[in-house]
Amino acid sequence: MPRFSGRTAIVTGAAQGVGRACALRLAAQGAKLVLVDRRADLCDGVVEVVEREGGAALAVGADMETQDGAQEMVRRAIERFGRVDISIHNVGGAIRAKPFWEFTGEELQAEISRSLWPTLWSCREVIPAMLAQRSGAIVNIGSAATRWMWRGPYSAAKGGIHALTECLGRELAETGVRINCVAPGTLDIGDRLTARNPDPITEQDAHWRQAALDQSLADTPMARCGAVDEVATAVAFLASDEASYITGQTLFVAGGATG
């Protein structure tokens, strides 16, 4: 029997990158999918792949920076499939790379809104549904960037996700609901469907961004970028019954780097 046969999995940020890789891996192993992104149409390609292989998938458009978005995600999942067994919280990503003191107040708030609130809201709204059924597995996506330079607010947001995971692991330990975190290092994402930073990139911005990448790779013992499938493999493991005695942990999938 497939690993996730009969189970429903939510994947946020499912249109591309790590989210897309996680969704396709879970679907290939039998999960019914709820694919969440700011624009549902961006998930159409993933839905097509899943359905072509005989699986079931629902695309949901929701702003995961808001509680309303997280509530809509869970409501639609239960309405369509009746339950939520797995929830992968992947929305986030550094918008800008530069020294901390160069961020404006608005830019600082945008980084936290992008990379911390979506996971907080997702956990807040999916946990009650899992508690009601006395089972579930949550996998948050953190980052090895918690110790890397030029991404201060993003690093703080991801560090918050690591801390949230540990706290909730203890709170949920006897409920039948497990929660863990996968922290990727520098990844080769390829072309993005939507740009993280829509603003024009100045020469100084490009310099800081390259400096951030150079530092990340310099601090990665394996000296290469990771692949999204390598992250998805770890996510699927923590979401599965094979990880039934693991909760509140952060697993670094970062070529030897740690946050």
Side-chain angles (χ1 to χ4, degrees):
M1 179 180 294
R3 199 183 206 180
F4 300 116
S5 180
R7 300 188 189 185
T8 299
I10 290 174
V11 182
T12 71
Q16 59 190 330
V18 168
R20 184 179 189 276
C22 290
L24 293 178
R25 182 169 292 270
L26 294 175
Q29 297 175 358
K32 295 171 286 188
L33 292 181
V34 179
L35 308 169
V36 186
D37 217 286
R38 192 181 294 269
R39 285 171 44 195
D41 62 292
L42 294 178
C43 293
D44 287 349
V46 186
V47 172
E48 290 174 7
V49 173
V50 172
E51 292 182 341
R52 188 166 60 242
E53 297 299 321
L58 168 69
V60 175
D63 182 357
M64 299 310 299
E65 295 180 16
T66 69
Q67 185 174 18
D68 287 347
Q71 289 174 337
E72 175 69 2
M73 168 187 82
V74 175
R75 184 188 70 79
R76 293 284 302 280
I78 293 175
E79 179 182 79
R80 173 70 180 273
F81 296 116
R83 58 188 290 121
V84 179
D85 300 290
I86 298 164
S87 201
I88 312 302
H89 303 151
N90 168 65
V91 171
I95 303 170
R96 295 172 176 85
K98 56 184 174 180
F100 179 76
W101 54 91
E102 295 287 346
F103 283 87
T104 67
E106 287 185 354
E107 289 171 348
L108 286 172
Q109 291 187 21
E111 296 282 354
I112 298 302
S113 293
R114 171 73 58 83
S115 292
L116 179 58
W117 277 113
T119 298
L120 288 174
W121 289 132
S122 294
C123 288
R124 170 61 185 83
E125 298 308 319
V126 80
I127 285 173
M130 291 181 170
L131 289 176
Q133 66 198 26
R134 300 290 297 177
S135 66
I138 296 168
V139 184
N140 296 326
I141 303 299
S143 177
T146 51
R147 296 179 63 184
W148 290 349
M149 298 165 59
W150 312 127
R151 286 147 291 193
Y154 170 74
S155 299
K158 290 300 189 178
I161 291 172
H162 297 182
L164 176 71
T165 301
E166 184 171 354
C167 291
L168 292 181
R170 297 174 71 88
E171 292 181 21
L172 294 167
E174 298 181 17
T175 69
V177 179
R178 296 184 301 104
I179 181 167
N180 290 290
C181 179
V182 170
T186 299
L187 300 177
D188 182 3
I189 299 293
D191 294 334
R192 299 188 60 84
L193 296 176
T194 55
R196 285 180 177 168
N197 181 6
D199 299 332
I201 303 299
T202 67
E203 184 176 342
Q204 179 64 78
D205 290 334
H207 171 75
W208 281 327
R209 185 172 296 277
Q210 186 60 48
L213 175 61
D214 291 345
Q215 181 266 310
S216 300
L217 288 175
D219 286 351
T220 301
M222 292 182 73
R224 68 168 176 86
C225 292
V228 293
D229 284 337
E230 292 175 308
V231 178
T233 298
V235 169
F237 165 68
L238 289 174
S240 75
D241 290 343
E242 296 161 36
S244 59
Y245 198 47
I246 302 174
T247 196
Q249 304 302 304
T250 293
L251 172 62
F252 289 89
V253 182
T258 58

